[in-house]
Structure formats: structure tokens, C-alpha cells
Amino acid sequence: MVRFEDNPARPAAGQRLCALAELADPGSKGFRFRADSRLFAGFIVREGEAVRGFIDQCPHAGWPLGYDDRYLTKAGDHILCAGHGALFNLQGVGVTTPCVGDRLTAWPVEVRDGEVFTA
């Protein structure tokens, strides 16, 4: 199995993702990158001035979390697995079954001068 760090489709550090102003607060946005037959899927979550990145994969089932580029509940207070309804706090920790205590895999991102980049 290829680790996500070794995925050839993973964008290099310094790749611009979007402007911070493009993200609602709270808000989220998904990203897909391809290299030949490999796919890297990630998403970012904004909470105030903080932006966190995660791999778009449920730790319980392995399928993508988001649906139609939506990752947060309507209230914006949790990350939602569209497949089975598990909730994660905005730090990526599971708070409902079947994912209680499970962590989403972090994808390093950073904000510089009002822009979000891979780190």
C-alpha cells in the first residue's frame, strides 16, 4: 500500500490552493490532484483565521468524506462523513460512532499573506 506521503499525485509544498477570502468562516473546500493513474484527494477547513487540511478519506470506511464539495454540517460546527453520517470536530477527531476517537489524516497546509498553500 502506498502511503499518502508517497502518493505521486500529492501536490508539492508551496502549491497555492486558494485565497483565504474564498472560504466561508467556518467553511471547507475540496481539492483533487492527478499524476497518471494516481489521485490525491484532500480538503481544507477554515475556522476563524485557522485553516486545517485533511485527506478526503473516512478512517472507518475508507471512502471519501465529502459530497459535492461539501464537508461540513449545515451549522458548520463538524466535518460530516456523507457515507454514514459520522461527525468529526473541526480538528479532525471523530465524535460520533462509528468513528469516536478516530482521527482524520492531516494534510499540511498554511496561510501566507491571505493565501492558502500546501506545506
Side-chain angles (χ1 to χ4, degrees):
M1 172 184 270
V2 176
R3 299 176 322 159
F4 85 92
E5 296 92 345
D6 300 327
N7 183 336
R10 181 178 182 204
Q15 168 80 43
R16 181 189 179 278
L17 297 174
C18 66
L20 184 61
E22 293 175 38
L23 293 170
D25 180 17
S28 63
K29 184 172 178 62
F31 298 89
R32 302 288 183 267
F33 298 92
R34 287 198 175 276
D36 298 320
S37 65
R38 300 291 301 171
L39 173 70
F40 179 88
F43 67 101
I44 57 176
V45 173
R46 178 180 182 183
E47 181 181 22
E49 295 303 307
V51 177
R52 295 175 194 88
F54 301 101
I55 304 302
D56 188 3
Q57 184 176 38
C58 176
H60 169 252
W63 53 52
L65 290 162
Y67 174 75
D68 197 26
D69 202 31
R70 292 183 222 164
Y71 294 90
L72 302 183
T73 58
K74 286 183 183 182
D77 56 350
H78 289 92
I79 298 166
L80 171 68
C81 176
H84 56 56
L87 297 176
F88 300 83
N89 64 26
L90 297 183
Q91 293 75 41
V93 179
V95 296
T96 63
T97 58
C99 297
V100 173
D102 290 344
R103 291 188 171 272
L104 300 178
T105 302
W107 174 32
V109 298
E110 63 184 354
V111 178
R112 294 189 317 244
D113 300 320
E115 304 283 328
V116 182
F117 294 88
T118 57

